[in-house]
């Protein structure tokens, strides 16, 4: 049967972007990225921070920049096992991170590290912060962080399953898992330190990505009920086109704010803002080419939306029985 309408007519005469034209290519790229992310995490592992491994962090301010390799070597000679020495904020600010050690902790350990650094640099170093976390506390935090992410995904699965037809719901949940897996793969690839702020940023990524996907799914469901003609392919493209401006404005505004945090937020917010940059970018793309495209591939049709609407309206009707 010949098509007796143009795709623009379904969108009130306005141009419609053919997003679904590239759905197969997008699935291939997403699949490769997921496999690569899992492989990277398996090979490189995560750079677990002090919050999860336990240990000591000492932040020191120097009078002038120093050679970090020399500092690291002198700390090893002084008996510190594999200390991590790096700049944060500026070239005169140094952070020393060490695994849990037996013996002096807290102020005593900090004084010993400062003494070694003073001898090496011939300067008078100032201690800005000393933080100690025991290995048992770190293990508990790791379990709590994993449970927080898992609980969030389960709660989202329940909510989406109730609100949307199962094809849209499944596409949304798989898209969220897609976003988290790829983001974690990039965290492992760039060797970003995983601490509690990274867990918070992953939760924020899930929330942002979910909000975007619900907006898109809502418009798809609404258009299936409003537009009386047109294939599922066409209605999906119309819905994505109608939400495109909202998605771009929201994503670009969010990315601009995160970029400002990344540039000016200092060392403590670098990991958080970089994780958000990665997650928001991937989440925006997956709203189109994972969530919506997957629902379409699963056979989403107008009849499914109408059946869901009838069932919901029937459930909302008050009982007439005595």
């Amino acid at each position: 049967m010949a098509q007796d309408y143009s795709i623009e007519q379904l969108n009130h005469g306005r141009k419609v972007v053919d997003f679904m034209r590239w759905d197969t290519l997008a699935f291939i790229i997403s699949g490769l990225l997921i496999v690569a992310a899992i492989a990277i995490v398996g090979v490189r592992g995560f750079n677990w921070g002090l919050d999860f491994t336990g240990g000591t962090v000492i932040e020191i301010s120097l009078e002038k920049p120093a050679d970090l390799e020399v500092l690291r070597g002198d700390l090893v000679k002084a008996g510190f096992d594999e200390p991590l020495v790096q700049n944060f904020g500026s070239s005169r600010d140094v952070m020393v991170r060490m695994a849990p050690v037996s013996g002096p902790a807290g102020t005593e350990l900090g004084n010993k590290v400062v003494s070694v650094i003073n001898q090496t640099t011939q300067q008078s170093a100032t201690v800005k912060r000393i933080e100690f976390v025991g290995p048992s506390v770190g293990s508990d935090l790791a379990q709590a962080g994993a449970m927080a992410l898992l609980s969030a995904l389960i709660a989202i699965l329940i909510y989406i399953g109730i609100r949307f037809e199962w094809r849209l719901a499944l596409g949304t949940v798989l898209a969220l898992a897609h976003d988290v897996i790829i983001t974690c793969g990039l965290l492992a690839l760039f060797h970003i330190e995983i601490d509690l702020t990274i867990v918070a940023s992953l939760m924020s990524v899930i929330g942002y990505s979910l909000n975007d996907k619900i907006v898109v799914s809502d418009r798809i469901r609404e258009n299936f009920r409003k537009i009386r003609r047109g294939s599922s392919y066409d209605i999906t493209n119309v819905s994505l086109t109608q939400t495109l401006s909202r998605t771009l404005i929201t994503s670009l505004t969010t990315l601009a704010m995160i970029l400002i945090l990344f540039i000016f937020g200092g060392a403590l917010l670098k990991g958080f803002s970089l994780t958000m940059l990665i997650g928001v970018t991937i989440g925006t793309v997956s709203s189109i080419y994972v969530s919506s495209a997957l629902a379409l591939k699963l056979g989403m049709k107008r009849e499914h939306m109408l059946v869901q609407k009838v069932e919901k309206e029937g459930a909302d009707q008050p009982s007439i029985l005595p």
Side-chain angles (χ1 to χ4, degrees):
M1 179 178 177
Q3 179 175 296
D4 59 350
Y5 61 89
S6 67
I7 186 68
E8 286 76 16
Q9 288 176 328
L10 301 180
N11 194 30
H12 310 289
R14 292 187 288 269
K15 182 179 179 180
V16 175
V17 181
D18 190 1
F19 288 102
M20 293 298 101
R21 177 183 179 184
W22 308 103
D23 59 350
T24 301
L25 177 61
F27 281 140
I28 294 174
I29 294 174
S30 292
L32 292 175
L33 287 175
I34 289 175
V35 172
I38 295 174
I40 291 170
V41 171
V43 173
R44 289 177 61 91
F46 290 117
N47 177 24
W48 296 108
L50 178 70
D51 292 334
F52 299 119
T53 62
T56 304
V57 167
I58 305 172
E59 293 179 2
I60 298 171
S61 179
L62 300 174
E63 297 173 349
K64 56 184 178 180
D67 189 331
L68 299 185
E69 289 299 326
V70 175
L71 291 180
R72 186 179 296 108
D74 286 351
L75 287 171
V76 171
K77 292 178 183 177
F80 297 103
D81 185 28
E82 297 184 358
L84 176 65
V85 183
Q86 62 189 48
N87 291 118
F88 74 99
S90 71
S91 59
R92 294 187 297 107
D93 295 318
V94 177
M95 180 174 69
V96 181
R97 198 181 95 193
M98 294 169 290
V101 294
S102 58
T107 304
E108 294 182 19
L109 181 61
N111 290 336
K112 186 176 180 181
V113 171
V114 170
S115 177
V116 173
I117 292 177
N118 285 338
Q119 292 177 7
T120 302
T121 62
Q122 299 299 312
Q123 301 181 44
S124 179
T126 303
V127 178
K128 299 176 67 175
R129 178 174 72 101
I130 298 178
E131 183 176 335
F132 175 79
V133 176
S136 61
V137 175
S139 176
D140 291 342
L141 288 175
Q143 294 178 10
M147 287 302 298
L149 288 174
L150 183 60
S151 299
L153 289 174
I154 292 175
I156 288 168
L157 174 62
I158 295 172
Y159 168 73
I160 294 294
I162 295 173
R163 176 162 182 178
F164 294 107
E165 196 269 337
W166 73 266
R167 293 167 182 83
L168 274 175
L170 181 61
T172 299
V173 172
L174 291 180
L176 288 174
H178 162 277
D179 300 343
V180 173
I181 291 172
I182 295 178
T183 302
C184 289
L186 290 173
L187 292 176
L189 176 64
F190 295 133
H191 212 57
I192 297 172
E193 183 179 320
I194 308 296
D195 54 20
L196 290 179
T197 61
I198 299 298
V199 175
S201 66
L202 286 174
M203 297 287 284
S204 301
V205 165
I206 291 174
Y208 178 89
S209 183
L210 175 64
N211 177 68
D212 194 37
K213 289 166 178 55
I214 285 180
V215 170
V216 173
S217 297
D218 237 358
R219 182 56 60 90
I220 291 174
R221 180 177 61 179
E222 179 184 347
N223 280 339
F224 266 111
R225 295 171 180 174
K226 286 172 56 178
I227 300 175
R228 297 303 180 184
R229 56 180 177 173
S231 64
S232 300
Y233 181 98
D234 291 339
I235 294 176
T236 301
N237 277 327
V238 169
S239 303
L240 292 172
T241 301
Q242 290 175 351
T243 57
L244 179 62
S245 59
R246 179 263 176 204
T247 298
L248 289 178
I249 291 172
T250 304
S251 297
L252 291 177
T253 302
T254 305
L255 288 172
M257 296 301 102
I258 297 172
L259 191 59
I260 291 173
L261 273 181
F262 180 75
I263 296 173
F264 301 107
L268 294 179
L269 290 177
K270 287 287 185 184
F272 176 87
S273 52
L274 182 57
T275 305
M276 286 293 294
L277 279 172
I278 295 170
V280 168
T281 303
I282 295 173
T284 300
V285 176
S286 71
S287 296
I288 298 173
Y289 286 116
V290 179
S291 175
S292 305
L294 185 58
L296 187 61
K297 290 288 188 183
L298 289 171
M300 176 178 60
K301 296 180 181 179
R302 178 184 290 105
E303 292 80 6
H304 303 141
M305 305 300 172
L306 295 178
V307 168
Q308 187 197 32
K309 181 179 180 181
V310 169
E311 290 177 347
K312 186 175 185 300
E313 289 178 347
D316 292 340
Q317 292 296 322
S319 174
I320 61 173
L321 295 176

